[in-house]
Amino acid sequence: MGKVKVKKKDPRIDMTAMSDVTVLLLTFFMLTSTFLQEEPVKVITPASVSEDVVPEQKLITVLVSQNEHDGHGQVYMEIVGASKKDDADSAFTTENVKKQILQIMASKHNINFTAQNYEDFAKLNAFGHPIKDLKKWLDLPVNERAEALKESPGIPLNMTTYGGEMTEFQEWIRAAAEVFSQRDDATEDIRSGKAIAIKADANTPYRMVEIVMNNLQSIKRNKFTLMTSLKTAKD
Amino acid sequence: MGKKNLSHQKKFETRIDFTPMVDMNMLLITFFMLCTTMLKSQTLKIALPSNSDESKQEQNQNQAAESQAFTIILDGKEEEKDGNYMSVQSNSKFYYYEGKLDPAQAATQLIEAKGIGIKGTKDTNFLTAILQKKNEKALKKIGEYKKKWENHGYSNDDAQNDAAYQADATKVLAELNAAHETPIVMIKPTSRASYADVIGLLDQMQINSIGTFQIETLSKDDSTALQAKGVQLPPVPSAKK
């Protein structure tokens, strides 16, 4: 009886091609990605048909949470300066801008921040403490800051009228506008409202956004933008 | 012969097994995919009137109040959960009235637009239909310009085409507004209205080419009229002088 010869196949597949593809994909994702910035509150912005894209630089974001403290939602701020490639003398980077803003606030409230405090403040994404508690927060160990930020009452503000006493939130905006005014393009962005964006969740009661708008209005920042996501066809 | 095995060198496998490499890459790709934001947020521009002079504001309101005014009041329902306040769109209520609110006839003048959801419900078109009817003339003109724009009628250059179209549209709105033929829409959200609804309404203004609109706070007459309709309003936070 003749034996049926079974051809022995190599059970291993050549993975080289697969590896090539994955490396390519990996490179693509690494180059195109901008990391999600950690934010103290999760926000799903409402949808709109507007197609103006949020600027990536020279932007003050006012983040409004739905968690009520002192009769309003917690308010956080994020400040971004000019990107490095856009700025020849690199004096207007996010870190420099934030340091200068903190300096203005510190001198106004007579608080002595350490050099380390300035460094930390410049690197952190969002902040939202009353100015008297800010130093305490910056002195915390790195891993406890995010949690403390969530517990914070936020930047203090209340309903104001024009020319009335300034709230801390207004002081921050003023300080930021002052620093931004060092550059002509940033000044223009502030004036046209492009540089100030309010970010709030779709389900936020309007009063929590209203109080922020009111505070901006009272210091003559009548123009600003509201952050939205693009409306999809099913909306 | 003793040399028999000497030339028999051990043959090394030349192929390297890439499977672990692929595994690792896949992991990294997954990580980057989850951590990236591909979608960019959009922004909606908004300009509020200055609140420096309240009497002036009231004057403006009265001027607008005559023939062109169209007021939409947004209301909602707040819910609390662990200190978080929510105003979900499914609880939204819309009221509207035309012209100036006459306190004597407020109850009939103020109409509740039942079942209007700005987002996705079939009744959405109800409010849109009203706005479209009020803004008929402007929409007709702008529609013509839009056709021209679509066919590159202004210029073959995209940017110039856009700019010319925008200029024409703005001009038409200004002209019609001067002739009192476009509506001036007043958006008045109560403090508990949902933020998404406010954005939704601002969106409708853009979609329906409403030239003039503003966000305002409820006036005393508005509150009285709402209360006459059985709406219990929350206390209004007052401005610190």
Side-chain angles (χ1 to χ4, degrees), chain A residues 64-228:
Chain A
V64 185
S65 96
Q66 290 159 279
N67 201 323
E68 188 165 310
H69 277 268
D70 305 326
H72 57 78
Q74 290 158 295
V75 172
Y76 301 98
M77 276 172 80
E78 291 165 18
I79 296 163
V80 184
S83 69
K84 276 195 181 112
K85 67 167 192 287
D86 213 55
D87 196 49
D89 54 1
S90 75
F92 209 68
T93 57
T94 302
E95 285 170 22
N96 283 338
V97 166
K98 287 183 83 176
K99 273 182 204 166
Q100 288 179 49
I101 294 170
L102 189 60
Q103 260 161 17
I104 296 174
M105 288 301 282
S107 66
K108 201 172 246 170
H109 288 270
N110 288 321
I111 297 169
N112 288 320
F113 290 104
T114 61
Q116 185 60 42
N117 285 157
Y118 279 106
E119 287 298 322
D120 287 350
F121 183 76
K123 286 206 180 75
L124 286 161
N125 181 35
F127 61 93
H129 273 81
I131 189 86
K132 62 174 170 38
D133 298 334
L134 194 64
K135 191 172 160 41
K136 217 187 284 167
W137 177 62
L138 289 170
D139 284 335
L140 283 176
V142 183
N143 55 351
E144 286 172 29
R145 279 193 201 127
E147 199 52 41
L149 194 58
K150 274 179 202 155
E151 302 290 316
S152 147
I155 300 171
L157 75 174
N158 49 39
M159 288 305 238
T160 60
T161 49
Y162 178 75
E165 199 185 316
M166 280 225 271
T167 61
E168 266 180 44
F169 171 72
Q170 288 173 325
E171 285 173 0
W172 280 107
I173 295 281
R174 269 272 166 91
E178 200 180 317
V179 175
F180 273 42
S181 70
Q182 291 163 6
R183 274 173 56 128
D184 290 344
D185 54 345
T187 314
E188 175 56 27
D189 281 357
I190 285 262
R191 203 195 53 75
S192 67
K194 214 177 119 191
I196 304 175
I198 299 180
K199 191 176 185 184
D201 194 274
N203 291 333
T204 315
Y206 177 67
R207 67 191 166 93
M208 291 178 174
V209 185
E210 186 184 26
I211 196 166
V212 175
M213 290 184 180
N214 168 281
N215 272 253
L216 288 169
Q217 228 177 339
S218 302
I219 50 168
K220 284 220 163 171
R221 296 272 162 241
N222 299 332
K223 287 181 182 169
F224 43 83
T225 56
L226 304 172
M227 246 187 230
T228 56

Side-chain angles (χ1 to χ4, degrees), chain B residues 147-158:
Chain B
K147 270 213 180 102
K148 199 173 161 190
W149 169 76
E150 274 168 358
N151 299 325
H152 285 263
Y154 291 101
S155 161
N156 278 327
D157 180 55
D158 268 356

Side-chain angles (χ1 to χ4, degrees), chain A residues 10 12 15-16 18-19 22-23 25-26 28-30 32-36 46-54 56 66-68 158-162 165 192 194 198 200-210 213-214 217-218 220 222-231 235, chain B residues 13 15 17-19 21-22 25-26 28-29 31-38 40-52 54 57 78 82-89 118-120 189-196 198-199 202-203 206-207 215 217 237-241:
Chain A
D10 192 349
R12 286 180 358 193
M15 280 288 178
T16 328
M18 180 78 165
S19 176
T22 51
V23 169
L25 274 174
L26 190 59
F28 168 75
F29 276 106
M30 278 175 78
T32 55
S33 72
T34 43
F35 279 97
L36 274 178
S48 87
V49 291
S50 171
E51 282 172 358
D52 301 334
V53 179
V54 174
E56 277 170 41
Q66 290 159 279
N67 201 323
E68 188 165 310
N158 49 39
M159 288 305 238
T160 60
T161 49
Y162 178 75
E165 199 185 316
S192 67
K194 214 177 119 191
I198 299 180
D201 194 274
N203 291 333
T204 315
Y206 177 67
R207 67 191 166 93
M208 291 178 174
V209 185
E210 186 184 26
M213 290 184 180
N214 168 281
Q217 228 177 339
S218 302
K220 284 220 163 171
N222 299 332
K223 287 181 182 169
F224 43 83
T225 56
L226 304 172
M227 246 187 230
T228 56
S229 52
L230 196 61
K231 215 170 225 177
D235 290 337
Chain B
E13 174 74 73
R15 282 173 17 183
D17 187 9
F18 270 101
T19 326
M21 173 83 166
V22 170
N25 282 343
M26 280 296 186
L28 280 173
I29 289 177
F31 169 74
F32 275 101
M33 278 175 77
L34 292 179
C35 288
T36 50
T37 38
M38 297 292 263
K40 279 263 152 231
S41 283
Q42 262 60 39
T43 58
L44 198 66
K45 273 209 183 109
I46 181 171
L48 295 176
S50 163
N51 64 354
S52 59
E54 281 178 38
Q57 223 181 64
E78 250 180 66
D82 307 327
N84 283 309
Y85 288 81
M86 303 242 275
S87 182
V88 192
Q89 271 187 305
I118 291 298
K119 197 180 161 194
T190 65
S191 61
R192 62 190 175 189
S194 144
Y195 174 59
V198 180
I199 298 279
L202 291 175
D203 237 18
Q206 205 174 341
I207 293 166
I215 302 181
T217 44
S238 59
K240 204 171 101 183
K241 293 276 171 187

Side-chain angles (χ1 to χ4, degrees), chain B residues 48-66:
Chain B
L48 295 176
S50 163
N51 64 354
S52 59
D53 196 348
E54 281 178 38
S55 59
K56 209 172 164 186
Q57 223 181 64
E58 250 164 56
Q59 226 176 30
N60 283 345
Q61 272 186 37
N62 287 338
Q63 272 175 4
E66 306 308 323

Side-chain angles (χ1 to χ4, degrees), chain B residues 156-186:
Chain B
N156 278 327
D157 180 55
D158 268 356
Q160 275 179 33
N161 196 31
D162 284 358
Y165 164 65
Q166 292 287 350
D168 263 359
T170 321
K171 206 174 123 204
V172 149
L173 284 174
E175 271 169 14
L176 284 170
N177 191 23
H180 299 284
E181 301 212 24
T182 49
I184 294 174
V185 180
M186 247 85 75

